[in-house]
Amino acid sequence: MISRLQLPILSASSACLRRRLSFYSTTAATASSFASHLSPPLKLQTPLFLRPLSHSTSPSSLLSFRQWAESLARSYAADLSVVGGPSASELIRELSWLLQDATFQAGETMLLRTDLQDLYCLWMQRIEERRPFQYIVGCEHWRDLVLAVREGVLIPRPETEELVDLVAGVEGFKDGLWADLGTGSGAIAIGIGRILGENGRVVATDLSEAAVEVARFNVGRYKLEDKVEIRQGYWFEPLQDLHGKLSGLVSNPPYIPSSHIPGLQAEVGKHEPSLALDGGMNGLDHLLHLCDGLISALKPGGFFAFETNGDKQSEYIVDFISSQGSNTFHDMRIVADFAGVRRFVTGYCQ
């Protein structure tokens, strides 16, 4: 599964240029001072691969960048591996993807979608700050989609693709009214919207203003405005007008226990939004809230599918929903992801 991403690209600063030029003789202190000049972008910008080829450089200059970037990746790789970071080969693969997104050769000239100095700065962010690669390039490849992402928005994971497949297995799903709660980048909602029939529709919600902005951008890019509606608000609150009318409801809510957040890989724990990760003391706070709202949200026969942290969490959710009465839900199942983790809970309202 390939990953890419979008986010506001920082202009090259003089500090960045100095750091680039002195790389081979720099000290650790210089590296630390460079990092202090880099702050995460706050506004959605066009993903790198969608930007116009409005800059240029020589092939030799681009080759110098690539050699510098590969050397930087190798010099940091040993230290990164100790703390669960990417290997040198993984970083060099990402570098190739970055250059695929950012460059195009036209004869003796290399056309760029961002200034060459910005590429130096972006690669420093990836290595020194552990900024996720998806935030560097502004997009993520997910199913057959290329979705814009940015800081403040969860990067969609490959395992979450299964939620769309679970919906596709529901009889009559094509013309249903569906909800995606906590939509983030809009990945699940867009994935469902693309397989719906003429009368099908998805309403997706998220509390985060950043997520709503990105999700609407992605919906518009795939021209699904007539299929997918994005609403801002807390879980069920934006769906007051749809209570009891939903054919189905899906969600990939925050489910990581709060105490586990500090131990996450730096790309996740330091950069992805805690709002989309932290599920409270045992990781179940939001999942249980969603379970409590199912009966009023779904119409009779309505389907639900939740992503969980796996195994014990899934079992707890099944037990919790079942405890609401045998006449409330039926056909409850725990479904494994592609790695064999029992990650999804599904069922139907009576």
Side-chain angles (χ1 to χ4, degrees):
M1 175 60 58
I2 296 178
S3 274
R4 311 288 188 87
L5 123 44
Q6 162 292 301
L7 254 200
I9 301 300
L10 299 177
S11 298
S13 64
S14 58
C16 176
L17 182 58
R18 288 195 301 272
R19 178 64 180 86
R20 191 262 295 187
L21 293 175
S22 62
F23 167 70
Y24 292 104
S25 60
T26 192
T27 64
T30 305
S32 298
S33 67
F34 170 84
S36 69
H37 286 79
L38 300 174
S39 57
L42 299 178
K43 282 297 189 181
L44 174 68
Q45 289 188 6
T46 305
L48 186 57
F49 79 102
L50 291 176
R51 297 182 190 183
L53 292 161
S54 54
H55 304 269
S56 64
T57 190
S58 66
S60 61
S61 294
L62 191 63
L63 178 61
S64 294
F65 165 74
R66 180 161 201 154
Q67 291 171 339
W68 168 84
E70 289 181 356
S71 181
L72 185 65
R74 291 191 179 96
S75 70
Y76 274 74
D79 290 338
L80 291 177
S81 65
V82 174
V83 291
S87 67
S89 61
E90 289 170 332
L91 288 169
I92 290 171
R93 183 174 60 210
E94 290 181 359
L95 175 62
S96 294
W97 289 338
L98 172 62
L99 291 174
Q100 286 174 21
D101 279 5
T103 67
F104 179 81
Q105 185 160 7
E108 295 300 314
T109 301
M110 297 301 302
L111 301 180
L112 305 176
R113 301 183 191 277
T114 191
D115 186 86
L116 182 61
Q117 299 309 319
D118 285 348
L119 292 181
Y120 279 98
C121 286
L122 290 171
W123 194 244
M124 287 298 299
Q125 291 173 355
R126 178 68 188 106
I127 302 296
E128 292 198 342
E129 297 183 8
R130 301 281 299 277
R131 187 181 175 202
F133 177 75
Q134 293 87 343
Y135 290 162
I136 295 293
V137 294
C139 66
E140 170 66 314
H141 290 230
W142 192 84
R143 289 181 72 88
D144 57 346
L145 307 169
V146 184
L147 299 165
V149 291
R150 52 153 281 191
E151 270 88 354
V153 179
L154 187 74
I155 300 166
R157 270 47 173 189
E159 58 268 24
T160 305
E161 296 177 9
E162 178 68 21
L163 284 173
V164 178
D165 296 327
L166 290 170
V167 169
V170 175
E171 184 177 355
F173 82 92
K174 284 182 175 291
D175 293 319
L177 174 60
W178 293 84
D180 171 25
L181 302 189
T183 195
S185 65
I188 300 169
I190 293 169
I192 295 172
R194 281 164 61 87
I195 61 174
L196 289 179
E198 182 178 352
N199 298 318
R201 190 161 67 96
V202 185
V203 179
T205 71
D206 205 292
L207 181 62
S208 164
E209 182 178 351
V212 167
E213 179 188 25
V214 169
R216 286 175 176 160
F217 176 90
N218 287 323
V219 168
R221 181 165 177 265
Y222 284 98
K223 297 180 170 56
L224 288 172
E225 294 92 338
D226 61 334
K227 289 288 182 188
V228 180
E229 178 186 357
I230 308 297
R231 300 181 181 182
Q232 186 173 2
Y234 183 75
W235 298 123
F236 295 98
E237 289 178 359
L239 304 178
Q240 298 295 321
D241 58 321
L242 302 180
H243 278 194
K245 300 177 182 179
L246 295 175
S247 304
L249 184 153
V250 297
S251 182
N252 174 24
Y255 52 62
I256 299 174
S258 300
S259 60
H260 294 185
I261 300 295
L264 294 175
Q265 186 182 38
E267 283 82 353
V268 179
K270 290 178 60 177
H271 292 277
E272 293 197 74
S274 60
L275 183 68
L277 298 171
D278 195 334
M281 184 175 68
N282 56 13
L284 290 166
D285 287 4
H286 299 287
L287 279 163
L288 295 180
H289 178 78
L290 292 172
C291 292
D292 286 337
L294 283 175
I295 297 175
S296 60
L298 294 173
K299 69 180 185 180
F303 173 82
F304 72 89
F306 296 148
E307 181 172 327
T308 77
N309 206 20
D311 297 330
K312 291 183 179 180
Q313 223 180 56
S314 292
E315 293 168 4
Y316 187 95
I317 293 301
V318 169
D319 291 342
F320 179 82
I321 295 176
S322 299
S323 70
Q324 298 185 27
S326 58
N327 295 326
T328 307
F329 296 96
H330 67 95
D331 290 348
M332 298 274 294
R333 289 197 304 146
I334 297 176
V335 180
D337 64 16
F338 57 77
V341 178
R342 299 166 71 234
R343 187 169 300 280
F344 306 100
V345 175
T346 70
Y348 292 83
C349 186
Q350 293 283 15

